[in-house]
mmCIF file of all heavy atoms in Angstrom:
data_model
loop_
_atom_site.group_PDB
_atom_site.id
_atom_site.type_symbol
_atom_site.label_atom_id
_atom_site.label_comp_id
_atom_site.label_asym_id
_atom_site.label_seq_id
_atom_site.Cartn_x
_atom_site.Cartn_y
_atom_site.Cartn_z
ATOM 1 N N PHE A 7 -2.490 7.206 -6.268
ATOM 2 C CA PHE A 7 -2.842 8.492 -6.898
ATOM 3 C C PHE A 7 -2.354 9.675 -6.076
ATOM 4 O O PHE A 7 -2.760 10.817 -6.307
ATOM 5 C CB PHE A 7 -4.362 8.581 -7.141
ATOM 6 C CG PHE A 7 -5.204 8.441 -5.910
ATOM 7 C CD1 PHE A 7 -5.503 9.548 -5.124
ATOM 8 C CD2 PHE A 7 -5.711 7.203 -5.529
ATOM 9 C CE1 PHE A 7 -6.280 9.428 -3.977
ATOM 10 C CE2 PHE A 7 -6.487 7.068 -4.375
ATOM 11 C CZ PHE A 7 -6.764 8.187 -3.608
ATOM 12 N N LEU A 8 -1.425 9.404 -5.124
ATOM 13 C CA LEU A 8 -0.940 10.469 -4.238
ATOM 14 C C LEU A 8 -0.378 11.668 -5.002
ATOM 15 O O LEU A 8 -0.569 12.813 -4.609
ATOM 16 C CB LEU A 8 0.126 9.879 -3.298
ATOM 17 C CG LEU A 8 0.660 10.775 -2.197
ATOM 18 C CD1 LEU A 8 -0.461 11.175 -1.234
ATOM 19 C CD2 LEU A 8 1.768 10.065 -1.420
ATOM 20 N N SER A 9 0.308 11.401 -6.121
ATOM 21 C CA SER A 9 0.943 12.499 -6.870
ATOM 22 C C SER A 9 0.055 13.042 -7.987
ATOM 23 O O SER A 9 0.521 13.840 -8.802
ATOM 24 C CB SER A 9 2.254 12.019 -7.498
ATOM 25 O OG SER A 9 3.102 11.502 -6.521
ATOM 26 N N SER A 10 -1.202 12.629 -7.998
ATOM 27 C CA SER A 10 -2.088 13.085 -9.072
ATOM 28 C C SER A 10 -2.541 14.521 -8.823
ATOM 29 O O SER A 10 -2.857 14.894 -7.694
ATOM 30 C CB SER A 10 -3.318 12.173 -9.126
ATOM 31 O OG SER A 10 -4.317 12.758 -9.923
ATOM 32 N N SER A 11 -2.609 15.309 -9.897
ATOM 33 C CA SER A 11 -3.128 16.667 -9.737
ATOM 34 C C SER A 11 -4.607 16.721 -10.119
ATOM 35 O O SER A 11 -5.258 17.748 -9.942
ATOM 36 C CB SER A 11 -2.316 17.652 -10.587
ATOM 37 O OG SER A 11 -2.199 17.146 -11.883
ATOM 38 N N ASN A 12 -5.131 15.620 -10.635
ATOM 39 C CA ASN A 12 -6.558 15.553 -10.945
ATOM 40 C C ASN A 12 -7.033 14.133 -10.635
ATOM 41 O O ASN A 12 -7.056 13.256 -11.498
ATOM 42 C CB ASN A 12 -6.785 15.913 -12.424
ATOM 43 C CG ASN A 12 -8.260 16.039 -12.757
ATOM 44 O OD1 ASN A 12 -9.108 15.467 -12.070
ATOM 45 N ND2 ASN A 12 -8.575 16.766 -13.817
ATOM 46 N N VAL A 13 -7.398 13.931 -9.372
ATOM 47 C CA VAL A 13 -7.699 12.569 -8.902
ATOM 48 C C VAL A 13 -8.900 11.958 -9.648
ATOM 49 O O VAL A 13 -8.805 10.833 -10.155
ATOM 50 C CB VAL A 13 -7.888 12.540 -7.364
ATOM 51 C CG1 VAL A 13 -8.317 11.157 -6.897
ATOM 52 C CG2 VAL A 13 -6.590 12.966 -6.665
ATOM 53 N N PRO A 14 -10.036 12.676 -9.768
ATOM 54 C CA PRO A 14 -11.162 12.049 -10.493
ATOM 55 C C PRO A 14 -10.778 11.612 -11.909
ATOM 56 O O PRO A 14 -11.089 10.496 -12.323
ATOM 57 C CB PRO A 14 -12.223 13.156 -10.532
ATOM 58 C CG PRO A 14 -11.903 14.017 -9.358
ATOM 59 C CD PRO A 14 -10.408 13.999 -9.245
ATOM 60 N N MET A 15 -10.047 12.482 -12.606
ATOM 61 C CA MET A 15 -9.682 12.142 -13.990
ATOM 62 C C MET A 15 -8.738 10.937 -14.032
ATOM 63 O O MET A 15 -8.942 10.012 -14.824
ATOM 64 C CB MET A 15 -9.009 13.345 -14.670
ATOM 65 C CG MET A 15 -8.700 13.089 -16.125
ATOM 66 S SD MET A 15 -7.810 14.464 -16.863
ATOM 67 C CE MET A 15 -6.140 14.122 -16.331
ATOM 68 N N ASP A 16 -7.742 10.935 -13.164
ATOM 69 C CA ASP A 16 -6.788 9.828 -13.197
ATOM 70 C C ASP A 16 -7.428 8.510 -12.753
ATOM 71 O O ASP A 16 -7.104 7.445 -13.286
ATOM 72 C CB ASP A 16 -5.552 10.157 -12.351
ATOM 73 C CG ASP A 16 -4.641 11.160 -13.064
ATOM 74 O OD1 ASP A 16 -4.757 11.284 -14.304
ATOM 75 O OD2 ASP A 16 -3.833 11.830 -12.388
ATOM 76 N N LEU A 17 -8.356 8.574 -11.806
ATOM 77 C CA LEU A 17 -9.036 7.339 -11.397
ATOM 78 C C LEU A 17 -9.898 6.807 -12.541
ATOM 79 O O LEU A 17 -9.951 5.600 -12.779
ATOM 80 C CB LEU A 17 -9.886 7.580 -10.148
ATOM 81 C CG LEU A 17 -9.089 7.794 -8.863
ATOM 82 C CD1 LEU A 17 -10.027 8.127 -7.703
ATOM 83 C CD2 LEU A 17 -8.248 6.560 -8.506
ATOM 84 N N ARG A 18 -10.548 7.707 -13.269
ATOM 85 C CA ARG A 18 -11.346 7.261 -14.419
ATOM 86 C C ARG A 18 -10.447 6.633 -15.472
ATOM 87 O O ARG A 18 -10.796 5.618 -16.077
ATOM 88 C CB ARG A 18 -12.132 8.432 -15.016
ATOM 89 C CG ARG A 18 -13.323 8.827 -14.178
ATOM 90 C CD ARG A 18 -14.369 9.544 -15.044
ATOM 91 N NE ARG A 18 -15.502 9.942 -14.225
ATOM 92 C CZ ARG A 18 -15.673 11.181 -13.741
ATOM 93 N NH1 ARG A 18 -14.797 12.121 -14.012
ATOM 94 N NH2 ARG A 18 -16.726 11.455 -13.006
ATOM 95 N N ARG A 19 -9.284 7.245 -15.683
ATOM 96 C CA ARG A 19 -8.351 6.670 -16.668
ATOM 97 C C ARG A 19 -7.861 5.293 -16.208
ATOM 98 O O ARG A 19 -7.659 4.400 -17.021
ATOM 99 C CB ARG A 19 -7.155 7.604 -16.890
ATOM 100 C CG ARG A 19 -7.508 8.838 -17.711
ATOM 101 C CD ARG A 19 -6.316 9.743 -17.891
ATOM 102 N NE ARG A 19 -5.261 9.137 -18.699
ATOM 103 C CZ ARG A 19 -4.026 9.630 -18.794
ATOM 104 N NH1 ARG A 19 -3.686 10.713 -18.124
ATOM 105 N NH2 ARG A 19 -3.131 9.040 -19.546
ATOM 106 N N LEU A 20 -7.669 5.144 -14.901
ATOM 107 C CA LEU A 20 -7.222 3.835 -14.385
ATOM 108 C C LEU A 20 -8.310 2.769 -14.522
ATOM 109 O O LEU A 20 -8.012 1.584 -14.632
ATOM 110 C CB LEU A 20 -6.764 3.969 -12.932
ATOM 111 C CG LEU A 20 -5.385 4.623 -12.769
ATOM 112 C CD1 LEU A 20 -5.170 5.113 -11.336
ATOM 113 C CD2 LEU A 20 -4.262 3.659 -13.179
ATOM 114 N N ASN A 21 -9.586 3.194 -14.536
ATOM 115 C CA ASN A 21 -10.680 2.232 -14.765
ATOM 116 C C ASN A 21 -10.539 1.536 -16.108
ATOM 117 O O ASN A 21 -11.001 0.412 -16.278
ATOM 118 C CB ASN A 21 -12.036 2.943 -14.758
ATOM 119 C CG ASN A 21 -12.509 3.289 -13.366
ATOM 120 O OD1 ASN A 21 -12.036 2.723 -12.388
ATOM 121 N ND2 ASN A 21 -13.454 4.218 -13.285
ATOM 122 N N GLU A 22 -9.937 2.240 -17.062
ATOM 123 C CA GLU A 22 -9.790 1.699 -18.426
ATOM 124 C C GLU A 22 -8.598 0.749 -18.529
ATOM 125 O O GLU A 22 -8.335 0.215 -19.594
ATOM 126 C CB GLU A 22 -9.588 2.830 -19.445
ATOM 127 C CG GLU A 22 -10.639 3.942 -19.404
ATOM 128 C CD GLU A 22 -12.043 3.399 -19.583
ATOM 129 O OE1 GLU A 22 -12.223 2.549 -20.464
ATOM 130 O OE2 GLU A 22 -12.942 3.811 -18.808
ATOM 131 N N THR A 23 -7.842 0.570 -17.457
ATOM 132 C CA THR A 23 -6.677 -0.322 -17.473
ATOM 133 C C THR A 23 -7.010 -1.604 -16.714
ATOM 134 O O THR A 23 -8.077 -1.712 -16.100
ATOM 135 C CB THR A 23 -5.459 0.322 -16.770
ATOM 136 O OG1 THR A 23 -5.712 0.346 -15.353
ATOM 137 C CG2 THR A 23 -5.205 1.742 -17.263
ATOM 138 N N ASP A 24 -6.045 -2.540 -16.723
ATOM 139 C CA ASP A 24 -6.259 -3.774 -15.962
ATOM 140 C C ASP A 24 -5.542 -3.727 -14.606
ATOM 141 O O ASP A 24 -5.209 -4.769 -14.049
ATOM 142 C CB ASP A 24 -5.822 -4.997 -16.785
ATOM 143 C CG ASP A 24 -4.332 -4.987 -17.099
ATOM 144 O OD1 ASP A 24 -3.611 -4.094 -16.604
ATOM 145 O OD2 ASP A 24 -3.876 -5.895 -17.825
ATOM 146 N N VAL A 25 -5.284 -2.526 -14.095
ATOM 147 C CA VAL A 25 -4.603 -2.410 -12.802
ATOM 148 C C VAL A 25 -5.396 -3.197 -11.740
ATOM 149 O O VAL A 25 -6.628 -3.265 -11.794
ATOM 150 C CB VAL A 25 -4.418 -0.917 -12.400
ATOM 151 C CG1 VAL A 25 -5.676 -0.302 -11.803
ATOM 152 C CG2 VAL A 25 -3.243 -0.771 -11.442
ATOM 153 N N ASP A 26 -4.683 -3.838 -10.824
ATOM 154 C CA ASP A 26 -5.351 -4.735 -9.881
ATOM 155 C C ASP A 26 -6.011 -3.985 -8.724
ATOM 156 O O ASP A 26 -7.106 -4.360 -8.297
ATOM 157 C CB ASP A 26 -4.336 -5.744 -9.336
ATOM 158 C CG ASP A 26 -3.800 -6.625 -10.446
ATOM 159 O OD1 ASP A 26 -4.506 -7.577 -10.814
ATOM 160 O OD2 ASP A 26 -2.714 -6.336 -10.990
ATOM 161 N N TYR A 27 -5.326 -2.963 -8.205
ATOM 162 C CA TYR A 27 -5.859 -2.216 -7.056
ATOM 163 C C TYR A 27 -5.557 -0.732 -7.202
ATOM 164 O O TYR A 27 -4.601 -0.348 -7.873
ATOM 165 C CB TYR A 27 -5.205 -2.678 -5.742
ATOM 166 C CG TYR A 27 -5.305 -4.154 -5.485
ATOM 167 C CD1 TYR A 27 -4.185 -4.974 -5.608
ATOM 168 C CD2 TYR A 27 -6.517 -4.740 -5.132
ATOM 169 C CE1 TYR A 27 -4.267 -6.339 -5.396
ATOM 170 C CE2 TYR A 27 -6.616 -6.106 -4.913
ATOM 171 C CZ TYR A 27 -5.479 -6.891 -5.047
ATOM 172 O OH TYR A 27 -5.575 -8.244 -4.843
ATOM 173 N N ILE A 28 -6.352 0.068 -6.494
ATOM 174 C CA ILE A 28 -6.016 1.477 -6.294
ATOM 175 C C ILE A 28 -5.441 1.580 -4.877
ATOM 176 O O ILE A 28 -6.102 1.198 -3.895
ATOM 177 C CB ILE A 28 -7.272 2.380 -6.439
ATOM 178 C CG1 ILE A 28 -7.856 2.281 -7.858
ATOM 179 C CG2 ILE A 28 -6.925 3.824 -6.081
ATOM 180 C CD1 ILE A 28 -6.947 2.739 -8.971
ATOM 181 N N HIS A 29 -4.209 2.083 -4.796
ATOM 182 C CA HIS A 29 -3.510 2.214 -3.516
ATOM 183 C C HIS A 29 -3.870 3.574 -2.915
ATOM 184 O O HIS A 29 -3.585 4.618 -3.521
ATOM 185 C CB HIS A 29 -2.006 2.110 -3.797
ATOM 186 C CG HIS A 29 -1.135 2.162 -2.591
ATOM 187 N ND1 HIS A 29 -0.786 1.046 -1.862
ATOM 188 C CD2 HIS A 29 -0.508 3.202 -2.001
ATOM 189 C CE1 HIS A 29 0.018 1.401 -0.877
ATOM 190 N NE2 HIS A 29 0.208 2.699 -0.936
ATOM 191 N N VAL A 30 -4.499 3.552 -1.759
ATOM 192 C CA VAL A 30 -4.970 4.788 -1.138
ATOM 193 C C VAL A 30 -4.030 5.150 0.013
ATOM 194 O O VAL A 30 -4.016 4.479 1.050
ATOM 195 C CB VAL A 30 -6.415 4.615 -0.603
ATOM 196 C CG1 VAL A 30 -6.927 5.922 -0.012
ATOM 197 C CG2 VAL A 30 -7.347 4.119 -1.706
ATOM 198 N N ASP A 31 -3.210 6.177 -0.175
ATOM 199 C CA ASP A 31 -2.284 6.625 0.862
ATOM 200 C C ASP A 31 -2.999 7.592 1.800
ATOM 201 O O ASP A 31 -3.547 8.597 1.346
ATOM 202 C CB ASP A 31 -1.083 7.343 0.216
ATOM 203 C CG ASP A 31 -0.137 6.364 -0.454
ATOM 204 O OD1 ASP A 31 0.311 5.417 0.216
ATOM 205 O OD2 ASP A 31 0.150 6.547 -1.652
ATOM 206 N N VAL A 32 -2.988 7.263 3.087
ATOM 207 C CA VAL A 32 -3.647 8.120 4.079
ATOM 208 C C VAL A 32 -2.586 8.613 5.066
ATOM 209 O O VAL A 32 -1.895 7.808 5.691
ATOM 210 C CB VAL A 32 -4.741 7.330 4.839
ATOM 211 C CG1 VAL A 32 -5.446 8.236 5.850
ATOM 212 C CG2 VAL A 32 -5.739 6.715 3.863
#
Side-chain angles (χ1 to χ4, degrees):
F7 58 87
L8 186 62
S9 304
S10 166
S11 49
N12 188 337
V13 175
M15 184 184 82
D16 285 340
L17 289 176
R18 285 204 181 99
R19 286 179 66 193
L20 284 163
N21 283 341
E22 307 304 316
T23 72
D24 63 5
V25 80
D26 297 280
Y27 305 107
I28 298 298
H29 183 88
V30 183
D31 286 306
V32 181

